[in-house]
Amino acid sequence: MSEQQAGSRIRVEALGSPSGSQSQEQAAQWAQRLDLPLEDVDADFALQVTDDGLQLQQLSDDAPGPVRVDFVEGAVAHRRLFGGGSGQMIAKAVGIQPGVRPSVLDATAGLGKDAFVLASLGCQMSLIERQPIIAALLEDGLNRGRQDREVGSIISQMRLLTGNSIELIRGWEGEPPQVIYLDPMFPHREKTALVKKEMRLFRPLVGDDMDAPALLEAALALATHRVVVKRPRKAPCIEGPKPGYALDGKSSRYDIYPKKALKSV
């Protein structure tokens, strides 16, 4: 996601138990770390410290509800239990097959949903999120998930990096990932479309990913076996080299840029 905050103003606030000072202390720590104010009556968003974790709330009358990362319950847990396992299209796209669980870098991690699916299927995951507020939500969700008996082992396979994806990929140290997965924010022109709550919330905050071609170029230089790009089904390919093939779903597709065959160890 984009580093820009599109002129949005954000404050940090504590919504935890009134009697507890821990929420206030955590709010102060996040405010200092993210260089955000604790008080701003004109803020467009509030990063809220609650008893259930960190959440982001847009401050307008018609705003959707708050967004937070939860790997233990809700939609992500349902997908882990009933989502189709290795038969899911994303699993096929990154090359999961019997005896093959590639190492994957999700360079546009967002709220970590796709990365969590791949980690739950046995992939070692590195995640990059460059928008600091979203990275904070993701970090908080990973920390809470790590404490859960069932989910903790999956979270242990997920490593979060915060920063500019292109710079981190170009300066990558250590063993390169076999697969790099990209899901850049696509310019949204369909005004009547029903957009997911997270996207409605994030778009005014982060804007569109206008540097997707440079990100694809960097990914192709680093990945040892393939690059996978998730796109809206009817959207054009990212500018640059053409994908080798694509997997089409109902609303999205996966453009595959193969470099070398993935083989079982």
Side-chain angles (χ1 to χ4, degrees):
M1 296 189 174
S2 172
E3 283 180 313
Q4 63 174 324
Q5 295 183 5
S8 300
R9 295 171 64 165
I10 308 161
R11 70 175 184 237
V12 183
E13 59 189 23
L15 296 185
S17 305
S19 59
S21 62
Q22 188 174 4
S23 294
Q24 297 285 351
E25 189 176 317
Q26 289 179 344
Q29 290 172 351
W30 280 116
Q32 182 178 18
R33 185 171 154 188
L34 297 170
D35 193 23
L36 295 174
L38 284 166
E39 295 182 11
D40 182 355
V41 295
D42 295 320
D44 304 297
F45 294 87
L47 186 64
Q48 300 170 331
V49 177
T50 78
D51 293 337
D52 295 321
L54 199 65
Q55 64 185 33
L56 183 66
Q57 175 66 64
Q58 190 171 8
L59 302 174
S60 64
D61 294 338
D62 60 344
V67 168
R68 67 187 179 99
V69 175
D70 190 346
F71 294 115
V72 180
E73 299 177 350
V76 175
H78 187 272
R79 185 175 175 185
R80 172 173 64 89
L81 297 171
F82 309 109
S86 58
Q88 296 176 76
M89 192 172 294
I90 188 174
K92 296 176 181 178
V94 302
I96 289 177
Q97 51 191 295
V100 177
R101 294 296 186 272
S103 60
V104 181
L105 167 60
D106 183 345
T108 52
L111 297 178
K113 294 180 180 180
D114 287 340
F116 181 77
V117 168
L118 295 175
S120 71
L121 296 175
C123 294
Q124 287 292 329
M125 299 296 304
S126 297
L127 294 74
I128 301 176
E129 176 50 48
R130 62 178 177 173
Q131 213 293 330
I133 306 299
I134 298 173
L137 294 173
L138 181 52
E139 179 184 326
D140 177 72
L142 289 168
N143 288 338
R144 283 184 285 106
R146 204 170 278 120
Q147 312 304 318
D148 183 78
R149 188 175 62 183
E150 290 187 27
V151 171
S153 60
I154 299 173
I155 301 295
S156 68
Q157 295 174 205
M158 301 170 67
R159 176 179 67 124
L160 175 62
L161 306 170
T162 303
N164 183 288
S165 299
I166 297 172
E167 293 175 2
L168 288 171
I169 288 174
R170 288 174 177 167
W172 192 265
E173 296 180 0
E175 189 172 342
Q178 292 175 296
V179 178
I180 295 182
Y181 175 77
L182 307 175
D183 182 10
M185 187 79 86
F186 186 68
H188 178 64
R189 299 187 180 93
E190 185 58 71
K191 294 182 180 179
T192 59
L194 290 174
V195 183
K196 287 184 179 180
K197 179 174 72 172
E198 291 93 337
M199 292 302 102
R200 286 178 58 196
L201 190 69
F202 291 159
R203 191 166 291 279
L205 181 67
V206 304
D208 299 317
D209 282 327
M210 305 310 293
D211 56 358
L215 179 57
L216 174 61
E217 180 183 7
L220 287 168
L222 179 63
T224 58
H225 287 68
R226 70 172 64 176
V227 173
V228 178
V229 181
K230 185 178 181 180
R231 303 292 280 165
R233 189 168 65 88
K234 295 183 179 180
C237 299
I238 292 179
E239 183 181 337
K242 300 302 179 189
Y245 61 99
L247 299 176
D248 291 314
K250 291 181 179 179
S251 60
S252 60
R253 73 169 193 275
Y254 296 91
D255 291 341
I256 317 294
Y257 298 78
K259 294 181 69 175
K260 188 165 61 173
L262 288 159
K263 298 178 181 178
S264 58
V265 179

